[in-house]
Amino acid sequence: MNVVILRKLEEKMAETNSHSDEIARLAQSFAGHRPDSITTGIVAGRLYNTFYYQTRRVLRRDPTHDEFMEFVEFVRHIRPNC
């Protein structure tokens, strides 16, 4: 994965972790749903958004399938604090 995009993903994960209380509170507001599932969705959405738009900004194109698979591997190895 491009090092600039990887760095942006790491920054977004750190930012996400620093807002864990807010994300947990938001997740709990979805009545009838498991908060941990909602939290996972929020974290995944934030990271995917960063991956997609930073690829477009830095590389000036959409991510390739191989880049997406590298992103999936990145996500597999993170441990959010939320």
Side-chain angles (χ1 to χ4, degrees):
M1 183 179 312
N2 179 284
V3 295
V4 174
I5 295 167
L6 182 58
R7 187 169 45 244
K8 293 291 186 182
L9 286 168
E10 290 167 346
E11 289 171 5
K12 183 56 74 173
M13 196 63 240
E15 176 189 318
T16 298
N17 285 336
S18 72
H19 293 279
S20 61
D21 291 342
E22 295 165 355
I23 292 171
R25 194 169 304 121
L26 176 62
Q28 292 169 356
S29 71
F30 287 89
H33 299 279
R34 291 185 10 221
D36 59 326
S37 293
I38 300 295
T39 297
T40 300
I42 292 169
V43 172
R46 289 174 61 96
L47 290 173
Y48 180 74
N49 188 44
T50 298
F51 164 72
Y52 185 82
Y53 287 103
Q54 289 300 324
T55 299
R56 290 190 53 118
R57 186 184 70 76
V58 172
L59 302 178
R60 301 194 190 301
R61 60 172 173 75
D62 288 345
T64 65
H65 174 75
D66 289 341
E67 290 166 333
F68 176 73
M69 296 311 295
E70 289 178 41
F71 168 71
V72 170
E73 280 303 309
F74 171 85
V75 169
R76 269 187 221 217
H77 295 95
I78 61 167
R79 298 288 180 251
N81 294 336
C82 301

